[in-house]
Amino acid sequence: MKKSLKPMNLVGLLLLSVLTFTACSEEETATEGIFTDAEVITVAELQYSDEAEQMADDIAEIAEDAYVSDEMSVTSKGMYLSDYLPDCVTVTTTETDTTKEKTIDFGEGCELRNGNVLAGIVKLSYVNDMEAASKTITLMLENFVFNGVSVEGGASILRVRSNENGNPQSTITRNYNATWPDGETASFSGTRTREWIEGFGTGFWGDNVFLITGNGTFTNRAGNVFSKEITTPLRREMSCRFIVQGVLDISRNGATASLDFGDGSCDAKGILTKPDGTSEEVFLRRFFKN
């Protein structure tokens, strides 16, 4: 009897070890991506969120530039040329008496003026009335890749030729899903208004400046949902890959952190203020290459 107990004890021990390991693994999986209320958002998630915003901003800029090229060619009664889209982009226009469609094809890889490398297609469609005071533009992505990140989805853009300040303005309602090369995924949606405050009509991309307002959500792979609201308009200067000014509030589970983008300098830094009032300087990589 004593001899038969030894192998049974060994088997029991092994079984207990397996069960303990499984329980620990399940616990780690269940807690993956969970944050403390003091954090609201980790620096790593903040970087992914900021990169998502750059993708959305650049897609909006591509659409706006392509549309404005059409609009200016008609309203200025002459050919308007913009230097924003590089020569590696192929733009095809199909129109009828009432509609116009544009296909902006980046091929298998095409570098923008700001250094971001895009592949795939951006499709636009809108009413063929270039002198209309306002217009809705439908945007769809096809096999689109942004710096190695696969992006799916689309947007509806309400374009106004002149707002109350006399500036062109686009209100963009977007819904995108992204997958990074390391397997990280996110979805981001919401509405942002871009007021074109400097550089409109010059044809030179480097002097374009936008003020951005709005709100939205960012959902990470773990299912955590972050609400985002611009409390001080964000200043986007196209000569810089980073937001240079403005404040963005990020909320989760009733707690809010604020990200201050700085004093106007073109740098990768921001100040993150946590719900408890403590602050730290963070690095917003925006696909930044050292």
Side-chain angles (χ1 to χ4, degrees):
M1 291 293 293
K2 289 182 179 179
K3 289 182 180 179
S4 64
L5 282 173
K6 288 182 180 179
M8 288 184 65
N9 288 341
L10 181 60
V11 170
L13 220 71
L14 289 172
L15 180 59
L16 181 62
S17 298
V18 170
L19 290 173
T20 303
F21 176 78
T22 302
C24 290
S25 297
E26 289 177 351
E27 184 179 353
E28 287 172 4
T29 301
T31 57
E32 183 180 350
I34 303 300
F35 307 93
T36 65
D37 285 339
E39 279 184 311
V40 178
I41 186 169
T42 65
V43 173
E45 286 296 344
L46 186 63
Q47 290 174 333
Y48 281 116
S49 173
D50 188 63
E51 286 182 349
E53 292 301 341
Q54 185 185 19
M55 288 186 273
D57 283 346
D58 273 21
I59 292 168
E61 179 62 24
I62 289 163
E64 190 148 28
D65 183 82
Y67 176 79
V68 166
S69 295
D70 265 3
E71 182 184 83
M72 291 290 291
S73 293
V74 173
T75 58
S76 64
K77 309 304 179 184
M79 183 59 69
Y80 169 81
L81 296 175
S82 169
D83 63 355
Y84 179 67
L85 293 177
D87 293 338
C88 52
V89 177
T90 301
V91 180
T92 305
T93 304
T94 304
E95 61 181 302
T96 68
D97 291 340
T98 57
T99 62
K100 183 172 284 193
E101 295 184 353
K102 278 189 176 296
T103 300
I104 307 164
D105 191 345
F106 293 88
E108 295 183 359
C110 180
E111 185 173 334
L112 292 180
R113 309 296 184 189
N114 59 13
N116 293 319
V117 178
L118 280 57
I121 293 172
V122 177
K123 288 187 174 181
L124 306 178
S125 60
Y126 44 90
V127 174
N128 193 2
D129 179 5
M130 306 314 297
E131 297 188 4
S134 64
K135 181 179 300 181
T136 298
I137 304 168
T138 300
L139 182 154
M140 291 299 296
L141 302 179
E142 184 177 300
N143 300 321
F144 191 75
V145 180
F146 189 107
N147 285 346
V149 181
S150 298
V151 188
E152 298 177 341
S156 177
I157 305 171
L158 177 59
R159 164 79 182 178
V160 177
R161 287 182 61 192
S162 181
N163 66 6
E164 63 274 12
N165 298 322
N167 296 321
Q169 178 174 292
S170 294
T171 299
I172 305 151
T173 302
R174 74 268 180 97
N175 194 343
Y176 296 120
N177 297 303
T179 303
W180 275 259
D182 63 1
E184 190 71 27
T185 62
S187 61
F188 42 105
S189 61
T191 300
R192 282 200 166 188
T193 298
R194 291 162 48 94
E195 181 181 7
W196 198 336
I197 62 171
E198 294 179 23
F200 178 72
T202 67
F204 172 54
W205 70 276
D207 64 3
N208 293 337
V209 180
F210 298 86
L211 281 185
I212 304 172
T213 56
N215 54 63
T217 61
F218 176 84
T219 305
N220 68 4
R221 179 168 51 184
N224 294 304
V225 179
F226 306 92
S227 298
K228 304 169 71 174
E229 182 176 2
I230 299 170
T231 54
T232 301
L234 306 182
R235 182 179 175 92
R236 176 76 191 276
E237 299 177 355
M238 295 307 296
S239 59
C240 177
R241 74 168 65 229
F242 306 101
I243 300 293
V244 299
Q245 277 183 314
V247 178
L248 175 69
D249 278 3
I250 304 167
S251 303
R252 186 183 60 84
N253 293 342
T256 300
S258 293
L259 178 62
D260 190 328
F261 287 89
D263 60 1
S265 301
C266 180
D267 57 39
K269 300 174 183 178
I271 300 297
L272 181 66
T273 302
K274 301 175 184 179
D276 61 6
T278 60
S279 299
E280 67 173 305
E281 186 176 76
V282 294
F283 174 65
L284 302 172
R285 61 189 181 195
R286 287 215 156 196
F287 304 101
F288 186 77
K289 300 173 183 178
N290 292 322

